[in-house]
Amino acid sequence: MDDLTTLSKRLAYQFNDLELLNIALTHRSANKNHYERMEFLGDAILNVTITDDLYHRFPKASEGDLSRLRASLVKGDTLSELAKSLALGEYLRLGSGELKSGGFRRNSILADVFESIIGAIYLDGGNECSKKFILEQFDERLNAADITKNLKDPKTRLQELLQAKGCDLPNYEITNTSGQAHNQTFDVTCHVALVPEPTEGTGNSRRKAEQAAAQQMLEILETA
């Protein structure tokens, strides 16, 4: 358990029951007692905590603006970045197949584990401890949050940009699907008449892959 003690210090939270932390780091490929229930719990706690902060931080913002801002903060890419900053991949318990395929670097797994850590802290220390952890991890992002910024997702923004130019809507095409049914990765291309070459996006769902491809296309069109 020495490595878990080291991780606890990195998390700035001292676990009373280190077994909770151990479970939070265990993928279903490694043991039947894995992190998915804690991930479910942590996801709910994360959303409530961020919602509460934004509600009080932006008292005049509409429900729609708050929803879009929350979605931009708790998206998978952000969670995987936070997991990497804590080096959670170094502590993951993975089965041999996931180890060989580099599961400790996979963004979807890292995002899930970040949420399971929140669940573990909640179970070990209660709501105030999990809230403190979340707000510390999101401090920089919350302080930089701007409710006036255009928070529409990339696909919507791309569609509106093309409509404003009088162009046809983008076409998205799945070019590859890999991984097991419960943990697939999608590769998608985005085709737009104004741009000769399609852009590419990858994600653990078709929607996320399309959003990534749309973001790439937006960057090309907005700098043209």
Side-chain angles (χ1 to χ4, degrees):
M1 291 285 185
D2 287 347
D3 57 336
L4 297 185
T5 301
T6 301
L7 178 56
S8 290
K9 293 178 181 178
R10 185 170 291 174
L11 298 173
Y13 176 76
Q14 185 62 49
F15 276 85
N16 298 300
D17 182 1
L18 279 175
E19 181 57 23
L20 288 170
L21 180 56
N22 184 50
I23 295 171
L25 295 163
T26 302
H27 189 263
R28 67 183 303 156
S29 63
N31 195 295
K32 64 180 181 180
N33 195 15
H34 50 75
Y35 63 61
E36 289 181 11
R37 280 172 53 84
M38 284 187 187
E39 175 204 343
F40 169 78
L41 179 62
D43 174 70
I45 295 165
L46 173 62
N47 275 278
V48 168
T49 301
I50 296 299
T51 298
D52 179 69
D53 184 275
L54 294 177
Y55 182 87
H56 291 95
R57 190 180 291 262
F58 301 105
K60 296 183 180 180
S62 69
E63 178 271 340
D65 287 340
L66 291 173
S67 294
R68 286 189 289 271
L69 185 51
R70 180 184 60 192
S72 74
L73 286 166
V74 302
K75 61 185 180 181
D77 289 346
T78 300
L79 303 188
S80 64
E81 287 172 10
L82 291 171
K84 289 173 184 176
S85 72
L86 294 167
L88 295 185
E90 297 177 12
Y91 300 90
L92 281 173
R93 273 72 165 145
L94 300 170
S96 58
E98 285 292 346
L99 275 173
K100 290 177 182 177
S101 64
F104 58 92
R105 292 190 300 267
R106 188 170 300 133
N107 287 344
S108 58
I109 291 179
L110 291 171
D112 291 346
V113 170
F114 183 82
E115 290 181 328
S116 69
I117 292 290
I118 293 171
I121 292 174
Y122 175 83
L123 291 171
D124 189 74
N127 183 62
E128 287 304 312
C129 291
S130 59
K131 179 178 179 179
K132 181 175 182 289
F133 172 75
I134 292 167
L135 294 180
E136 286 176 351
Q137 293 299 313
F138 279 86
D139 180 64
E140 184 177 336
R141 288 172 170 83
L142 285 167
N143 288 331
D146 183 358
I147 204 70
T148 65
K149 185 179 179 182
N150 185 353
L151 294 172
K152 293 179 181 178
D153 64 79
K155 283 185 67 177
T156 300
R157 287 161 51 206
L158 178 59
Q159 178 175 317
E160 291 179 351
L161 177 62
L162 292 172
Q163 286 176 329
K165 292 178 177 289
C167 299
D168 292 337
L169 296 181
N171 178 51
Y172 299 93
E173 180 182 352
I174 297 177
T175 56
N176 186 53
T177 304
S178 59
Q180 298 179 350
H182 68 278
N183 191 25
Q184 288 186 309
T185 298
F186 295 82
D187 295 324
V188 168
T189 55
C190 174
H191 301 259
V192 168
L194 291 175
V195 180
E197 296 295 326
T199 55
E200 300 178 355
T202 300
N204 59 0
S205 71
R206 176 175 179 170
R207 179 180 176 279
K208 290 181 179 179
E210 288 178 348
Q211 297 286 13
Q215 180 61 44
Q216 295 294 322
M217 186 61 73
L218 268 172
E219 292 174 3
I220 292 173
L221 291 171
E222 290 174 346
T223 58

